Amino acid sequence: MSVSMWIKGMRPQTLPLALAPVLIGVAQSWMGVFEYSQGGGYDRHLPCPTFGGRPEAHGHYDDVHGACVTSMGWFLTVSVLCVCVALFLQIAVNYANDYSDGVKGADRGRTGALGGPDGNASGVGRAPSRLVASGVHPRRVLVAAGVSAALACVAGLAVTVLTGYWWLVLVGVACLLAGWFYVGGRHPYGYHGWAEVFVFVFFGLVATVGTQFALTDTVSLSGIWGGVNIGLVAVAVLTVNNLRDVDEDRLHGKRTWVVRLGERGGTVLLDVLLSLAAASALLFLLSGASWQNIAIGPDCGVWYPDGDLDHAVQVCDVWKYQLDVAMYWSSVVLLVLFAAMCVAAILTVHRRRFRMALPLCTLSSLVLAAMYWTLSFLR
C-alpha cells in the first residue's frame, strides 16, 4: 500500500473547501480584534490572558483600562488551530465516506482502472478511485478516519482551552457525528437527500462563523454572509460529484438531490448555485462604502506648525488611501476571476467534463476567500 494512494484517499482536491471558510472567518475578524492596537491602543488597554478567552471589562475605565488587547501570537495560534480542525475533519470525513460506501458496495469498480483522463468515459470509470474499492482492508481505512478525527479533536480542544468556551466541544461532537452519519450507520442521511444541507451548514456557516466567534467572541453579518457565500460553493462541488455519480447513486438507492431532480434538473441546480455564489460575492463588494471613500479621496486634516494658527498645512493620509485603492481593485480582479471560474465550471459540467469542473469549483473557493481578505482592509 503506497503513501501516494493514502494521499489520494484523503481527496486533497476537496481540502480547499475546508480551508476557505476558515480564511473568510479570519478575514472578518482581524480588523475588529486589533482595533485597540491602532493609535497607541496597547498603551491604554491591558493584554488579554493567554488561556480562558477575553474577559468582559467591568468597573471604571481607569480600573480595567477598558477591553483587553488580543496578542498577535494568540490570534495566529487560534487561527492555525481552526485551520487544523477544518482540514483534519475534512480528511476524516473523506476516509469515513470511503469506508462506508466501500462496505456498502456503492464504490464497486472504482479502482482507478477505468475511464479516460478527461473523465468522459461512461459508468464508474468517470469517478476517481477509492481505497476500499481498490482492495485496501476496510478496517485500515476506518482507522485512518479515526486518526484524522482524533487530530481534529486535539486541535479543537486547544481552541476551547484558549478561548474559554467549553460549549465548543459540543459543536465539535456535532461535526463528528454529522461527518460519520453522512454515509455511515444504518440510516445515513446522505442517502436520503440531506447531504447538501449538511455541507452548506457545516462547511459553510459553521466553519466560517465558528472561526470568527473563536477569534472575536462575536458573529457579524459579514461573517454570516461569507459563510453563506462559501456554503453555496461547497454545495456546488457536491452537486458536481453527484452529477458524475448519478447512475451509480440511483442504482444503490442514494437519493441525492441530483437523483431526485434528474440530470437536467441537477445541472440547473448547479447553474443556480454558482450564479448565486457569484452574485453574493458581488453584493458583498458593493455593500461597503469603500468605493465611495476611494472616489472621495484620501483623508485630510489641518496641521498648525509650532501652534501658529496663521500658517495652516493640509496633511493627507496618502499611504492609507493608496493601500485602499490597491485592495479595492484587487478585490474587483478577484471577483472577476471567481465569476469566470464559476462560468467555466458551469460550461464544463454542461459538456460532462466533471474532472475539469471539480478543481474549478474547489479552487474558486480560495479565490473567493482571497476576495474577502482584500476587502477586510477596507472595512
Side-chain angles (χ1 to χ4, degrees), residues 213-283:
F213 187 85
L215 292 169
T216 66
D217 300 332
T218 187
V219 174
S220 66
L221 178 60
S222 62
I224 297 174
W225 196 325
V228 170
N229 207 166
I230 197 65
L232 291 170
V233 178
V235 177
V237 171
L238 179 62
T239 303
V240 174
N241 274 320
N242 291 340
L243 281 167
R244 181 196 63 199
D245 301 336
V246 61
D247 294 332
E248 292 73 40
D249 289 344
R250 187 182 294 114
L251 179 64
H252 293 91
K254 199 171 184 179
R255 303 287 293 171
T256 65
W257 285 8
V258 173
V259 170
R260 294 172 185 267
L261 295 172
E263 284 196 68
R264 179 174 297 182
T267 303
V268 172
L269 172 63
L270 178 73
D271 298 346
V272 171
L273 288 169
L274 290 179
S275 298
L276 286 175
S280 179
L282 174 62
L283 288 175

Side-chain angles (χ1 to χ4, degrees), residues 169-354:
V169 173
L170 298 178
V171 177
V173 171
C175 292
L176 290 173
L177 292 176
W180 171 252
F181 288 107
Y182 175 36
V183 292
R186 293 185 177 182
H187 303 286
Y189 63 84
Y191 278 66
H192 301 284
W194 289 98
E196 289 79 2
V197 177
F198 158 79
V199 166
F200 179 80
V201 171
F202 286 94
F203 287 97
L205 287 171
V206 172
T208 304
V209 302
T211 299
Q212 185 181 30
F213 187 85
L215 292 169
T216 66
D217 300 332
T218 187
V219 174
S220 66
L221 178 60
S222 62
I224 297 174
W225 196 325
V228 170
N229 207 166
I230 197 65
L232 291 170
V233 178
V235 177
V237 171
L238 179 62
T239 303
V240 174
N241 274 320
N242 291 340
L243 281 167
R244 181 196 63 199
D245 301 336
V246 61
D247 294 332
E248 292 73 40
D249 289 344
R250 187 182 294 114
L251 179 64
H252 293 91
K254 199 171 184 179
R255 303 287 293 171
T256 65
W257 285 8
V258 173
V259 170
R260 294 172 185 267
L261 295 172
E263 284 196 68
R264 179 174 297 182
T267 303
V268 172
L269 172 63
L270 178 73
D271 298 346
V272 171
L273 288 169
L274 290 179
S275 298
L276 286 175
S280 179
L282 174 62
L283 288 175
F284 187 78
L285 175 67
L286 298 177
S287 64
S290 54
W291 63 274
Q292 299 175 6
N293 295 336
I294 291 173
I296 293 173
D299 293 332
C300 296
V302 178
W303 176 52
Y304 298 96
D306 300 324
D308 186 355
L309 300 182
D310 295 327
H311 296 84
V313 177
Q314 186 181 48
V315 179
C316 298
D317 192 351
V318 177
W319 183 89
K320 178 63 167 61
Y321 176 73
Q322 291 175 340
L323 176 64
D324 288 347
V325 171
M327 291 296 102
Y328 177 77
W329 286 111
S330 295
S331 302
V332 172
V333 171
L334 289 168
L335 173 63
V336 172
L337 178 58
F338 174 69
M341 295 177 78
C342 289
V343 172
I346 290 173
L347 294 177
T348 53
V349 167
H350 278 263
R351 296 173 182 175
R352 294 299 182 262
R353 296 181 179 271
F354 302 112

Side-chain angles (χ1 to χ4, degrees), residues 37 45 76 79 83-84 148 184 263 273 280 306-307:
S37 67
H45 298 271
L76 291 177
S79 298
V83 169
C84 292
S148 301
E263 284 196 68
L273 288 169
S280 179
D306 300 324

